[in-house]
Amino acid sequence: MDQRSLTGHLLVATPLLEDPNFRRSVVFMIDDDTSEGSIGVIVNRPSDLPVSDVLAEWGGYTSSPSVMFSGGPVGAGSGLALGVPGAESAPLGWRPLANVAESSQVGGLGTIDLDTPPELLGDALGRLRVFAGYAGWSAGQLGDEIEEGAWYVLSATPDDVFCDEPGGLWAQVLRRQGGELALLATFPDDPTLN
């Protein structure tokens, strides 16, 4: 496997990945460091819990659906937020993703410091999504899983992270790839019923 950074890419679970934490998940990679490990958030698992019930001040600034997303099995009691500034300048409390290729479509996406007063940052954001927990891999672990065929590594767009209908994102991302991956988008949820 090559050593390029996966930051800013999507990991899309292959149909063979049966782990219930990641089955049919789409993970947006926030940080990928070959010596430290990798962190991402599952972007297609909305909960029923409104952001305003957890972070009252931030609820009015989140993108639709305005609910907490289950970002992954690690640190489920903590919050992590991603956002895109609405203007050219970087607002206070927003930090761009590190090691994102200049050609990447997600160059304007970054992490949000939820301790920043929302009245200072909220109106400066064009998009905001809040996650409970994250997906994490130790150094080398994610590379091994990719080599074993658990994940497809695909290009990401901001629309993937801020999708209005995240339930259909897994199939949508595969379909836009064309070829064999587009065909996999029709793979039944339970292959024994095929």
Side-chain angles (χ1 to χ4, degrees):
M1 179 166 152
D2 70 37
Q3 295 299 309
R4 69 185 167 115
S5 174
L6 299 179
T7 301
H9 284 80
L10 294 177
L11 297 180
V12 178
T14 68
L16 303 176
L17 184 58
E18 291 295 325
D19 180 338
N21 291 309
F22 296 107
R23 191 170 183 284
R24 292 202 176 210
S25 65
V26 178
V27 178
F28 178 75
M29 295 303 295
I30 296 171
D31 189 22
D32 179 47
D33 185 304
T34 54
S35 62
E36 298 288 323
S38 305
I39 294 174
V41 287
I42 301 172
V43 294
N44 64 330
R45 296 244 172 100
S47 73
D48 294 327
L49 184 64
V51 170
S52 58
D53 285 2
V54 180
L55 300 164
E57 303 85 21
W58 286 102
Y61 298 106
T62 55
S63 300
S64 178
S66 186
V67 297
M68 296 293 293
F69 276 64
S70 175
V74 182
S78 62
L80 189 149
L82 294 173
V84 175
E88 292 291 320
S89 63
L92 177 71
W94 175 86
R95 189 180 75 209
L97 299 177
N99 301 319
V100 175
E102 285 185 34
S103 60
S104 173
Q105 295 182 44
V106 296
L109 205 143
T111 58
I112 303 298
D113 179 355
L114 291 170
D115 289 330
T116 303
E119 56 275 7
L120 293 179
L121 178 58
D123 288 332
L125 296 173
R127 293 173 157 182
L128 172 68
R129 177 122 311 142
V130 183
F131 302 88
Y134 61 93
W137 294 267
S138 60
Q141 182 184 6
L142 180 56
D144 291 345
E145 289 183 16
I146 293 169
E147 291 282 329
E148 292 167 2
W151 300 102
Y152 301 115
V153 178
L154 303 172
S155 295
T157 70
D159 288 339
D160 297 328
V161 177
F162 301 102
C163 182
D164 286 340
E165 295 182 26
L169 187 61
W170 183 82
Q172 179 184 330
V173 170
L174 290 175
R175 267 194 305 275
R176 79 171 181 234
Q177 306 307 311
E180 289 181 25
L181 290 181
L183 186 58
L184 282 176
T186 63
F187 198 81
D189 205 28
D190 182 355
T192 62
L193 299 176
N194 194 7

